[in-house]
Amino acid sequence: MATLHVLRFVWLAFTFISYLVPLAESDNYIVHMDITAMPKAFSDQHNWYLATLNSLSVDFSASSNLPTASSKLIYSYTHVIQGFSASLSPNELEALKSIPGYVSSTRDLLANVDTTHSYQFLGLNSNSGAWPVSNYGQDVIVGVVDTGVWPESESFNDEGITEIPSRWKGKCESGTQFNSSLCNKKLIGAQFFNKGLVARNPNITIKMNSARDTDGHGTHTSSTAAGNYVSNASYFGYAPGTAGGIAPRARVAVYKVLWDEGGYASDIIAGIDQAITDGVDVISLSLGFDGVELYEDPVAIATFAALERNIFVSTSAGNEGPSVGTLHNGIPWVLTVAAGTMDRELGAVLTLGNGNSVRGTSLYPGDSSLTQSPIVFTDKCDNQIELKKLENKIVVCEDKNNSISDQFFNVSSANVTGGIFISNSSDVEFFYQSSFPAIFMTPKEGEIIKDYIKSSTEPKAAMEFKKTFLGTTPAPSVASYSSRGPSFSCPFVLKPDILAPGVLVLASWSQISSVAQLKSQLLYGKFNIISGTSMACPHASGAGALLKGAHPEWSPAAIRSALMTTSDLTDNTLSPIKDIGLDFATASPLAMGTGHINPNKAVDPGLIYDATIEDYVNLLCALNFTAKQIQTITKSSTNNCSAPSLDLNYPSFIAFFNVKGSKSNSKTVIEFQRTVTNVGDEMSTYTATVTVMEGFQVSVTPEKLVFKEKNEKKFYKLSIEGPSMMKDIFVFGYLSWEDSGGKYVVRSPIVATRLQLD
Ligand SMILES: *[C@@H]1O[C@H](CO)[C@@H](O)[C@H](O)[C@H]1NC(C)=O
Ligand SMILES: *[C@@H]1O[C@H](CO)[C@@H](O)[C@H](O)[C@H]1NC(C)=O
Ligand SMILES: *[C@@H]1O[C@H](CO)[C@@H](O)[C@H](O)[C@H]1NC(C)=O
Ligand SMILES: *[C@@H]1O[C@H](CO)[C@@H](O)[C@H](O)[C@H]1NC(C)=O
Ligand SMILES: *[C@@H]1O[C@H](CO)[C@@H](O)[C@H](O)[C@H]1NC(C)=O
Ligand SMILES: *[C@@H]1O[C@H](CO)[C@@H](O)[C@H](O)[C@H]1NC(C)=O
Ligand SMILES: *[C@@H]1O[C@H](CO)[C@@H](O)[C@H](O)[C@H]1NC(C)=O
Ligand SMILES: *[C@@H]1O[C@H](CO)[C@@H](O)[C@H](O)[C@H]1NC(C)=O
Ligand SMILES: *[C@@H]1O[C@H](CO)[C@@H](O)[C@H](O)[C@H]1NC(C)=O
């Protein structure tokens, strides 16, 4: 299942229509072929695939061979996969498996759909750092594979944008309510892919058969990554200011692959294939597939092809936290992004009859009233009959046992003046966009209100909405729902990689998808405020675009390394970043990777950990995949597995202890080898420091790296000695390489764990 990583207000929730029943017999498959086995008689792969389908004559009548074969073919892929997708009966699939050149096949997976301030919060500014150095990402093309785009959004105005880079090969495809003249120098491409969806549901009517976004998600992610500036942006007055993407001058190309009617892997692969053909520099993917091996994961397979074209790919970790091991897109060749909060709260003020006021969170779109109303505390918020007696009052509800959902819906259907919901549940965010006056308070604020009500003979209060508070602390913190590592599909590479803003992000939206509800009326707007790792991912995509603009020669691994090793470990109180999912305990690398993204530091990281295609192949070999499984990912039939290694040259470390069969009193030493490349000052000396990891002995050899020139590489070893049987589930620490001039700190997290993922 692919999931879009967005949390949605419940009654605006986007769910795929379930009446799309599978065809009785045939099903859609993605088929990997070895093109070195293509007979010379064929001029191209497409004809070979057609002939291959033709030859599966079991279910075809002789007279209609060709048309049937071409109607079975859904896509011939070019870059992402050597192969095609097709609708096949079980017999045809079996027959296909014995055709020369067949490598593997997987059934098409259904994708079940899961700022005004963030650039300031990230410290981006015109005077110094990533914006001026990269020229705001001007020459970089960001491909967003998502639900399409609202092209009229002001985020895609091309004011101040130079001519389209001549290397661009993409197009602006016309379709339902989408004229190809809607693209410009900002939105340079818009294409749509739904042959997989249609093949699966032949009778389907796609209501918006074009790149136009009917949902809003794709408009939100693309404007977050690379939207132009829009002044006077806000969500009904919340979060007012100038909205802008992280790379405000970068170009946007959208590939619509997710539809109100459904979203399939075959279409997602086709979109990524086209993005690669068109010449994008960055791909932003706020979607993912749970519980699939790398060689079955459409994102892993498609992004390997992107890697070969030097395209930087950023993906979302998922919204399945806070339990460990919930992450997806834990793919060694992409960036996997976790979601954090910003130093901004959006909400309301409750002014009590005694003059004291209490701040809470809310995104209620209605108008404020300063009129004082009676306020009561009740433990009957989930009881319609009791609530009926409280009409024209503000009711205060306390979430005792995760009952917030029942309380919220009962109060919303009661005719009360307003609701105050006291809760520390992480689900509370689902309810912020309320259709009635509602304010969400923490237990601490709740006490003030309850005390006042108890002590007053005639308690009253007034609710004032549309408030924005900046500079709130602590921030960033890891969102509770952000999915946690280790990676299911490749536990040996520590994931997620990095934390980026993903909570209550304001960005552009589709004008035909409601952003709020007031009583029973749906409201529409140019902007929406939503949360999820879907929102964190495009922040990192935008940062990747800035680095690509500043260092066009850098590989995707170099860009990832620069973002990771320069990220921040502390929040705006200068304490370690906290994890909301662990009651504000210190966040671990399994929640936030190396730390919070800092693009200004990332443009000048000092050292980088690079990786080549061969390094990734060595990793795939060490995962003990079969030759065909590796070929499914790399597309090459001659993968060199003579040097298998799980020890990828990655800017982080994860060591598994408690290996089966080890004795409880013995020691285990786990060793890592790394090569760093000097991209900082020519002459420089770096010294290693390692934080204490209780119960472990961590050493680095050599402890000093002396560079004499740029791009020089140096090798070091990190070894972790620990008990064969760990007591804690995981212990973590950090290795930092600091240069003698005090300019650079190149930091990597180290995790030792006894988690067993198999
Ligand atoms: C697209 O828009 C342009 C300019 O508004 C118009 O001239 C053209 O006819 C439109 N094309 C289509 C196919 O609607
Ligand atoms: C599609 O429509 C045809 C003709 O209207 C009908 O015979 C067929 O059963 C439909 N198929 C599905 C899957 O609904
Ligand atoms: C700003 O936006 C608000 C709401 O959309 C609108 O009422 C107001 O006129 C706008 N102000 C300016 C200066 O454009
Ligand atoms: C709290 O909820 C759990 C599960 O929903 C239930 O088993 C338990 O009885 C509830 N406790 C109280 C005090 O309501
Ligand atoms: C009110 O709460 C009860 C449980 O306490 C729940 O069963 C019911 O569905 C709720 N009513 C509404 C309208 O949400
Ligand atoms: C809700 O309360 C208002 C004000 O007292 C009243 O006018 C209205 O009829 C009530 N609506 C319902 C559905 O009870
Ligand atoms: C928040 O909720 C958790 C249980 O979900 C509880 O253990 C904790 O004490 C609560 N914190 C406060 C401040 O009420
Ligand atoms: C791969 O197989 C070898 C030999 O059987 C084994 O030692 C190793 O642990 C396996 N690696 C993984 C990642 O399972
Ligand atoms: C395979 O890799 C090894 C070392 O990694 C190298 O020595 C050898 O030449 C490679 N073989 C081929 C056929 O490329």
Side-chain angles (χ1 to χ4, degrees):
M1 288 295 219
T3 5
L4 268 186
H5 303 137
V6 58
L7 295 175
R8 284 294 177 69
F9 183 41
V10 242
W11 56 61
L12 301 178
F14 179 153
T15 45
F16 280 142
I17 300 163
S18 54
Y19 61 72
L20 302 171
V21 286
L23 294 180
E25 275 282 299
S26 293
D27 209 335
N28 292 350
Y29 291 87
I30 295 159
V31 181
H32 300 265
M33 301 289 284
D34 180 355
I35 60 163
T36 60
M38 180 170 86
K40 294 211 169 53
F42 294 105
S43 53
D44 63 22
Q45 299 159 36
H46 181 72
N47 284 323
W48 181 39
Y49 301 151
L50 277 179
T52 301
L53 284 172
N54 243 341
S55 68
L56 310 175
S57 50
V58 268
D59 294 352
F60 296 178
S61 75
S63 59
S64 61
N65 263 358
L66 263 172
T68 315
S70 59
S71 72
K72 295 210 152 241
L73 185 71
I74 301 169
Y75 292 104
S76 297
Y77 298 112
T78 315
H79 296 297
V80 161
I81 283 177
Q82 281 180 357
F84 56 90
S85 47
S87 167
L88 300 171
S89 70
N91 287 341
E92 287 162 355
L93 181 65
E94 276 318 301
L96 181 65
K97 288 180 180 169
S98 51
I99 296 265
Y102 170 88
V103 175
S104 66
S105 58
T106 51
R107 195 202 302 238
D108 202 4
L109 297 172
L110 178 65
N112 188 11
V113 176
D114 248 349
T115 182
T116 42
H117 185 58
S118 50
Y119 61 84
Q120 288 154 340
F121 184 56
L122 295 179
L124 292 165
N125 68 87
S126 309
N127 302 323
S128 63
W131 271 1
V133 169
S134 68
N135 208 356
Y136 303 80
Q138 173 167 295
D139 297 322
V140 183
I141 302 167
V142 181
V144 182
V145 179
D146 209 303
T147 64
V149 68
W150 192 262
E152 294 86 357
S153 162
E154 287 169 66
S155 293
F156 307 110
N157 82 69
D158 62 1
E159 214 170 282
I161 311 253
T162 54
E163 288 305 315
I164 298 173
S166 57
R167 64 198 165 84
W168 173 242
K169 296 202 280 288
K171 59 175 188 277
C172 195
E173 195 178 0
S174 54
T176 312
Q177 293 179 37
F178 205 109
N179 183 328
S180 61
S181 66
L182 284 171
C183 292
N184 58 18
K185 288 182 279 185
K186 177 73 187 177
L187 178 66
I188 64 172
Q191 295 172 71
F192 57 101
F193 303 85
N194 55 28
K195 286 187 196 160
L197 170 64
V198 172
R200 195 66 156 63
N201 310 281
N203 292 354
I204 200 170
T205 306
I206 291 175
K207 78 175 178 200
M208 186 68 76
N209 196 28
S210 69
R212 185 172 292 279
D213 184 6
T214 52
D215 175 68
H217 188 271
T219 304
H220 201 276
T221 54
S222 47
S223 58
T224 299
N228 206 341
Y229 300 106
V230 184
S231 57
N232 192 30
S234 86
Y235 175 81
F236 301 103
Y238 292 99
T242 297
I246 297 303
R249 292 281 178 264
R251 321 304 169 122
V252 177
V254 303
Y255 299 87
K256 180 174 173 182
V257 297
L258 299 170
W259 301 82
D260 289 351
E261 296 85 2
Y264 283 92
S266 54
D267 293 323
I268 293 169
I269 291 169
I272 296 173
D273 203 35
Q274 190 64 48
I276 294 172
T277 307
D278 291 349
V280 304
D281 302 300
V282 172
I283 293 177
S284 191
L285 280 174
S286 288
L287 54 86
F289 292 81
D290 285 327
V292 281
E293 299 286 354
L294 290 175
Y295 50 83
E296 295 166 342
D297 183 348
V299 174
I301 295 168
T303 56
F304 198 88
L307 173 74
E308 292 169 323
R309 297 295 181 105
N310 240 16
I311 298 168
F312 175 74
V313 181
S314 168
T315 67
S316 47
N319 298 335
E320 307 298 324
S323 303
V324 294
T326 45
L327 172 141
H328 62 200
N329 290 329
I331 300 164
W333 44 91
V334 304
L335 185 78
T336 312
V337 188
T341 60
M342 284 186 270
D343 65 339
R344 175 177 73 187
E345 281 171 28
L346 305 171
V349 171
L350 184 75
T351 305
L352 304 172
N354 62 7
N356 289 344
S357 59
V358 193
R359 232 155 83 167
T361 309
S362 177
L363 290 174
Y364 171 63
D367 282 327
S368 292
S369 149
L370 284 169
T371 321
Q372 296 259 332
S373 305
I375 183 169
V376 294
F377 177 80
T378 171
D379 56 5
K380 304 273 184 329
C381 285
D382 51 8
N383 184 322
Q384 289 287 331
I385 295 147
E386 294 295 322
L387 283 172
K388 198 111 199 91
K389 301 176 190 158
L390 303 176
E391 274 187 9
N392 306 320
K393 290 189 168 64
I394 297 171
V395 298
V396 180
C397 312
E398 191 165 23
D399 173 15
K400 277 290 182 210
N401 193 14
N402 250 328
S403 48
I404 176 91
S405 167
D406 282 337
Q407 293 184 346
F408 180 83
F409 286 113
N410 275 299
V411 173
S412 79
S413 54
N415 197 12
V416 298
T417 299
I420 307 295
F421 298 91
I422 302 169
S423 174
N424 73 358
S425 159
S426 54
D427 295 340
V428 73
E429 215 180 290
F430 284 112
F431 306 106
Y432 288 166
Q433 292 177 330
S434 62
S435 63
F436 67 100
I439 309 178
F440 299 85
M441 303 277 186
T442 63
K444 194 172 134 209
E445 291 150 343
E447 282 312 308
I448 302 171
I449 299 166
K450 283 161 61 187
D451 286 349
Y452 162 71
I453 292 173
K454 249 183 260 164
S455 67
S456 171
T457 49
E458 206 186 322
K460 281 179 175 300
M463 306 168 95
E464 199 184 349
F465 292 93
K466 303 188 176 176
K467 297 283 183 188
T468 301
F469 312 104
L470 293 176
T472 58
T473 58
S477 301
V478 180
S480 179
Y481 54 77
S482 190
S483 290
R484 310 304 157 102
S487 160
F488 161 82
S489 56
C490 186
F492 311 99
V493 173
L494 177 60
K495 293 278 178 170
D497 294 310
I498 206 159
L499 183 68
V503 177
L504 301 178
V505 175
L506 179 116
S508 288
W509 199 249
S510 163
Q511 298 271 288
I512 51 173
S513 177
S514 63
V515 294
Q517 189 175 344
L518 194 51
K519 303 252 168 61
S520 58
Q521 191 194 353
L522 292 175
L523 303 179
Y524 298 84
K526 292 179 179 171
F527 298 93
N528 200 359
I529 291 176
I530 54 173
S531 302
T533 54
S534 269
M535 283 62 248
C537 165
H539 282 92
S541 311
L546 296 177
L547 293 200
K548 191 89 185 176
H551 306 284
E553 73 287 2
W554 279 9
S555 70
I559 293 174
R560 177 178 56 201
S561 173
L563 289 171
M564 287 173 67
T565 61
T566 60
S567 62
D568 294 326
L569 271 191
T570 52
D571 61 27
N572 59 359
T573 69
L574 301 182
S575 325
I577 292 173
K578 305 296 192 297
D579 186 339
I580 298 174
L582 294 178
D583 252 335
F584 286 90
T586 297
S588 86
L590 292 173
M592 65 167 183
T594 52
H596 195 250
I597 195 164
N598 186 334
N600 290 337
K601 274 164 70 189
V603 287
D604 189 12
L607 306 177
I608 53 170
Y609 293 80
D610 212 343
T612 62
I613 302 282
E614 191 53 39
D615 294 331
Y616 294 111
V617 172
N618 291 341
L619 174 69
L620 296 174
C621 298
L623 288 168
N624 293 339
F625 292 166
T626 65
K628 295 248 158 164
Q629 288 166 344
I630 297 175
Q631 185 177 355
T632 300
I633 297 168
T634 64
K635 303 179 299 300
S636 164
S637 55
T638 57
N639 294 294
N640 184 349
C641 274
S642 64
S645 170
L646 291 175
D647 193 14
L648 183 66
N649 196 41
Y650 212 78
S652 58
F653 303 89
I654 181 165
F656 289 87
F657 286 81
N658 292 36
V659 179
K660 282 185 198 93
S662 45
K663 295 198 186 75
S664 61
N665 57 355
S666 65
K667 290 267 179 193
T668 298
V669 179
I670 296 179
E671 228 176 57
F672 298 90
Q673 311 196 340
R674 291 290 184 273
T675 302
V676 286
T677 308
N678 178 25
V679 296
D681 299 335
E682 285 183 359
M683 304 281 280
S684 46
T685 302
Y686 286 80
T687 310
T689 52
V690 180
T691 60
V692 174
M693 290 173 65
E694 214 176 303
F696 291 83
Q697 204 66 44
V698 184
S699 59
V700 181
T701 40
E703 288 179 318
K704 224 183 246 310
L705 300 175
V706 181
F707 294 92
K708 297 199 181 60
E709 54 193 13
K710 249 196 155 136
N711 296 322
E712 191 180 345
K713 291 182 189 296
K714 291 278 173 189
F715 171 88
Y716 73 88
K717 264 191 211 170
L718 175 93
S719 92
I720 309 176
E721 183 184 318
S724 292
M725 303 293 279
M726 279 177 69
K727 280 202 290 294
D728 296 313
I729 294 179
F730 60 87
V731 171
F732 64 91
Y734 294 91
L735 159 67
S736 299
W737 287 103
E738 291 178 44
D739 84 301
S740 54
K743 188 167 163 192
Y744 302 111
V745 179
V746 184
R747 201 189 51 247
S748 296
I750 307 167
V751 171
T753 182
R754 62 175 167 83
L755 278 170
Q756 305 271 338
L757 285 175
D758 45 359

